[in-house]
Amino acid sequence: METNTDIATQPVPLWEVGATLGEGVLWDAPAGQVWFVDIKGRRLHRCAADGSDQRSWDAPGQVSFVVRAIDGGLVVSLEDGLYRFIEDSGEFVPFVKVEADVDGNRFNDGHVDAQGRLWFGSMDDSEAERTGALYRFDGKNVVTMDDGYIITNGPAVSPDGRTLYHTDTLDKRVYAFDLAEDGSLSNKRLFAEITDGGWPDGMAVDAEGHVWIAVFRGWRIERRDPSGRKVGEVRFPCSNITKLAFAGDDLRTVYATSARKGLSAEELAQQPLAGALFTFRAGTAGLPHHVLRLQE
C-alpha cells in the first residue's frame, strides 16, 4: 500500500473554525471559493482558496450540504428539504420540501453528478433507527432511490458516470450501484468495508477512478482503487474527518472538513485542530464539481 507521502502532502489547517460537525465541503471554481457547513453548529461557511475572506452565516436549522445551481444560486439542505441560500442577504428560502412530515430525521451528504442531478441522503438524527433514504433530485422531482439507512453518507460518481457510490456509515460499508443514463440505479453491491478503525463518512472520486473516503474516528482519508482495495491513506492530526473536495486549477488541491462532535474534553485537549478546515496537495487530480440543473 502507498504511504502518505506517495499520494499527498501533509494536511495543514486552513481555517481553525472549530466546527462541531464540519461537512459538505464544495469547491466553487468560478468564484475560487470553498464552501462548507457545520451541521450541528447550524452555520454555513465560505472562504477564498487560500483561507482568506472568511464569512459565516447562521442557518435556521441543521444545514448539511451546499451546491451551486446552474442559475448561479446556491442550494442547501435543512431538516425539511432543500432551500435557496441568498448570499447577499443571508436568507434561506424554501425550495423543495422533502421528508417534511418525517419526525426525527435530517439530511446529511449531497453530490451533483455530471448530468446536474443532485444525490443526497437523509438519516435518523438520533443515529438509531433505519429511517434514512437516498434521494435523487433532477431539478424538478425528488425520487427515493434506496432506503433502510441509519446514517447515509458520501454520494459520489465514477469518472465515466456509470457507478454511484453510497455509504452506510454505521454498518461501516460503502456500496456501489450501476448508474444508468436515465438516473436509475441497479446491482447494489459491497464496494468496501472499513475494518481497521473508524466509520466511513463523505467521499470523492479522483480522475483515475479511485475513491477517497473520509473516516470518522479514523484519523485519515483512505484511497481505494475501483475494485475497492485500499491503496493509500492520508493521516490527519485529529480523528473525526468528514468530507473532502478536490479543488484548484489542476484539481489537485484537496479541502477536508473535520468535527469536534463526540470528542471528550480530554480528547479535545489532545486534538486542538478538531473541527478545522484542512488542505493538502494530492498526487492525482480529482473530478470537477458540477452545478445543479433546474427544470421549469
Side-chain angles (χ1 to χ4, degrees), residues 24-25 27 30 84 110 113 123 132 142 155 174 181 223 226 240 255 265 273:
V25 60
W27 169 240
R84 291 283 208 156
D113 68 18
M123 59 170 281
V142 176
V174 178
E181 193 170 336
R223 185 177 188 240
N240 296 341
Y255 296 98
L273 295 176

Side-chain angles (χ1 to χ4, degrees), residues 153-290:
N153 241 316
V157 177
S158 61
D160 63 7
R162 297 175 63 181
T163 304
L164 180 129
Y165 302 98
H166 190 238
T167 298
D168 186 332
T169 293
L170 287 192
D171 280 355
K172 300 187 177 184
R173 292 180 172 184
V174 178
Y175 292 100
F177 299 79
D178 291 341
L179 173 57
E181 193 170 336
D182 65 0
S184 59
L185 298 178
S186 61
N187 189 27
K188 180 180 181 179
R189 58 202 180 271
L190 181 65
F191 170 73
E193 192 164 10
I194 303 299
T195 58
D196 53 354
W199 287 265
D201 208 309
M203 55 189 169
V205 181
D206 67 27
E208 296 179 355
H210 288 60
V211 182
W212 297 57
I213 304 169
V215 185
F216 194 89
R217 281 285 189 176
W219 302 82
R220 68 191 187 279
I221 291 174
E222 295 188 354
R223 185 177 188 240
R224 291 180 178 260
D225 68 18
S227 73
R229 182 175 63 94
K230 183 177 176 180
V231 296
E233 65 177 30
V234 180
R235 304 292 298 185
F236 283 75
C238 56
S239 63
N240 296 341
I241 312 305
T242 56
K243 179 76 173 182
L244 71 147
F246 289 92
D249 292 340
D250 61 1
L251 291 172
R252 288 183 53 224
T253 296
V254 178
Y255 296 98
T257 47
S258 64
R260 295 166 62 87
K261 179 180 180 286
L263 297 179
S264 66
E266 182 180 1
E267 287 172 322
L268 287 171
Q270 295 169 348
Q271 301 177 39
L273 295 176
L277 175 71
F278 290 89
T279 188
F280 62 89
R281 291 283 292 170
T284 306
L287 299 174
H289 285 247
H290 302 290

Side-chain angles (χ1 to χ4, degrees), residues 44 57-60 63 76 78 83-86 89-94:
L44 181 61
W57 294 264
D58 291 323
V63 55
V76 303
L78 295 176
Y83 282 66
R84 291 283 208 156
F85 173 67
I86 313 301
S89 65
E91 291 179 274
F92 291 77
V93 180

Side-chain angles (χ1 to χ4, degrees), residues 25-72:
V25 60
L26 168 75
W27 169 240
D28 186 3
Q33 295 174 332
V34 183
W35 290 82
F36 63 104
V37 303
D38 180 351
I39 299 176
K40 291 300 180 182
R42 300 188 175 198
R43 300 270 278 170
L44 181 61
H45 300 292
R46 187 212 70 199
C47 66
D50 63 358
S52 64
D53 191 24
Q54 298 171 354
R55 285 202 62 186
S56 301
W57 294 264
D58 291 323
Q62 296 185 80
V63 55
S64 69
F65 63 80
V66 53
V67 299
R68 184 68 74 178
I70 196 168
D71 63 0

